[in-house]
Amino acid sequence: MSQVDTPTSGPDLPGPGDSGPGDSGPGDSGPGDSGPGDSESAREQIRGRRLRSLRHLALLGPAFVAAIAYVDPGNVAANITAGARYGFLLVWVLVVANLIAMLIQYQSAKLGIVTGRSLPGLLGERLGRRARRSYWVQAEVVAIATDLAEVLGGAIALQLLFGLPLVLGGIIVGVISTLMLTLQNPRRQRTFESVILAMLAIIVVGFLAGLVVNPPPVGDVLGGLIPRLHGPETVLLAASMLGATVMPHAIYVHSALVVDRHGIAKTPERRKKLVRATRWDVVVALMIAGAVNIALLLLAAQNLRGKEGTDTIEGAYRAVADTMGPGMATAFAIGLLASGLASTSVGSSAGAVIMAGLLHKRIPLLVRRLVTLIPALVVLAVGVDPTWALVLSQVLLSFGIPFAIIPLGRLTADRSIMGEFADGILLRIVATVASAVIVLLNLALIVLVITGG
């Protein structure tokens, strides 16, 4: 529905004592002159534009929280591994994944704005009891894989910075992230967003600093934009990078974040305003997250390729210290720590949304946190290689993506649910192609695992 401006009065016609068009009466300013009234009107218009800009800025925020999921330690592991082993070969994967992420996060936020419900909540209303619980199981596995990556990353960062044992580091990350979760409710949503934004700033500085010191050749970066794969392991890495970039739990939680932040939009005008603001929110937030991911791969491709042991986070840290100095290595580790703390908080928030929507139960905060935290601590305790565990967790996330994006696409295309905000034909086609690419990539992974390729 387009908004039409209706005039409040009819056209101004000159009366018997009025001057006609183009005429100037006594005391009127001549052509090109402006009186005090015109100057004051111009200032009012400028102030009005500034006020509208501030109001639009005030609507931004939920996408930046969701974007934290796109710069978590799983991304660090997957992107560093790809860059260290294959140079600039897989840059195109990150570009494609980030474009898909923008589309999907916009759909998720739009669904929340228009319906006032989260994606898991809408699915929970439409699925039967058995289907709903089965769907929750796969979503919970995704949440556990997410927390595994984030707690592992934070623990590795604490070990690099302070020499702490990984298990102790994991416990510290779990405790701090649980405290941060107490800020995540509708009354404290802006405070939670402010904390997450501060951590996002630390992540950006920590991961981009090394790239500024030693930038890669432009030709090599452009060459990495040509889609191609070399062997089965690059397929595995591509799936890992895709799983780390298009995050199922971020899709689930974004639809809830906009409701917590803006409340239920009760009028079409309010919904239009929020949908417009959400487009900017998603584009800006995901451009920042995409830049960080690409920077990580470029950093590894430029500085770590061919060096023994640099396809792990610990090896990358040591190599950065050797090639660019301890200051850059410390910045990298601090960025990794901020990434782990912020992303595990967002991931736990997503777990709460999934449980509430699909189980129709409110689970205590501590119980929710332990469900996803304990598996991560077990992995740390048994001595599994942390970086490889991170990469495999991202592959597992990739398998969970279709369960999030296919129902999302069906709901946002349904006019009975979305009304005038339903996806258009072009958006539906693009979303279908994106879903098909992800599903085919996962099928290729299954074949590789079965055949031992």
Side-chain angles (χ1 to χ4, degrees), residues 56-68 189-190 192-194 196-197 200 254 257-258 261-262 277-278 280-282 284-285:
H56 288 150
L57 285 175
L59 296 176
L60 305 183
F64 285 84
V65 176
I68 284 291
Q189 183 69 15
R190 289 180 185 270
F192 182 68
E193 288 177 8
S194 298
I196 295 298
L197 284 171
L200 179 59
H254 200 167
L257 287 171
V258 292
R261 178 63 177 313
H262 304 302
T278 289
W280 286 105
D281 197 23
V282 169
V284 174

Side-chain angles (χ1 to χ4, degrees), residues 250-268:
I251 300 170
Y252 294 128
V253 78
H254 200 167
S255 54
L257 287 171
V258 292
V259 179
D260 287 345
R261 178 63 177 313
H262 304 302
I264 297 176
K266 297 181 180 179
T267 65

Side-chain angles (χ1 to χ4, degrees), residues 66-75 97-98 100-102 104-105 108 119 142-143 145-147 149-150 239-254 286 289 293 343-344 346-347 350 354 390 393-398 400-402 404-405 408 438:
I68 284 291
Y70 294 87
V71 287
D72 75 348
N75 294 85
N98 207 61
I100 294 174
M102 285 184 183
I104 293 170
Q105 293 303 143
S108 176
L119 172 59
V142 166
T146 300
D147 217 30
E150 292 154 355
S240 178
M241 292 161 70
L242 185 63
T245 305
V246 182
M247 302 288 277
H249 73 285
I251 300 170
Y252 294 128
V253 78
H254 200 167
L286 269 296
N293 282 323
S343 55
T344 194
V346 175
I354 291 168
L390 283 171
S393 73
Q394 303 311 295
V395 174
L396 183 59
L397 287 177
S398 184
I401 294 171
I405 62 174
L408 175 65
I438 294 171

Side-chain angles (χ1 to χ4, degrees), residues 220-309:
D220 290 344
V221 177
L222 294 177
L225 296 176
I226 301 172
R228 61 198 190 281
L229 295 167
H230 289 168
E233 190 175 4
T234 60
V235 178
L236 179 67
L237 272 175
S240 178
M241 292 161 70
L242 185 63
T245 305
V246 182
M247 302 288 277
H249 73 285
I251 300 170
Y252 294 128
V253 78
H254 200 167
S255 54
L257 287 171
V258 292
V259 179
D260 287 345
R261 178 63 177 313
H262 304 302
I264 297 176
K266 297 181 180 179
T267 65
E269 291 75 18
R270 174 69 173 168
R271 287 192 285 271
K272 286 178 183 177
K273 181 179 180 180
L274 291 177
V275 168
R276 284 196 299 268
T278 289
R279 292 193 192 107
W280 286 105
D281 197 23
V282 169
V283 169
V284 174
L286 269 296
M287 282 181 66
I288 293 172
V292 171
N293 282 323
I294 292 172
L296 283 166
L297 188 148
L298 298 182
L299 176 70
Q302 177 71 2
N303 299 285
L304 310 180
R305 190 178 185 188
K307 296 182 180 180
E308 188 176 351

Side-chain angles (χ1 to χ4, degrees), residues 157 160-161 202 206-207 317 320-321 325-337:
L160 295 175
L161 289 168
I202 295 172
F207 291 154
Y317 172 82
V320 169
M328 286 298 152
T330 300
F332 174 84
I334 291 173
L336 179 64
L337 178 59

Side-chain angles (χ1 to χ4, degrees), residues 79 90-99 241 245 290 293-294 297:
N79 296 332
L90 299 177
V91 173
W92 68 272
V93 175
L94 290 179
V95 174
V96 171
N98 207 61
L99 291 174
M241 292 161 70
T245 305
N293 282 323
I294 292 172
L297 188 148

Side-chain angles (χ1 to χ4, degrees), residues 429-447:
I429 291 173
V430 174
T432 301
V433 171
S435 301
V437 168
I438 294 171
V439 172
L440 289 173
L441 188 55
N442 289 335
L443 289 175
L445 272 175
I446 294 172
V447 172

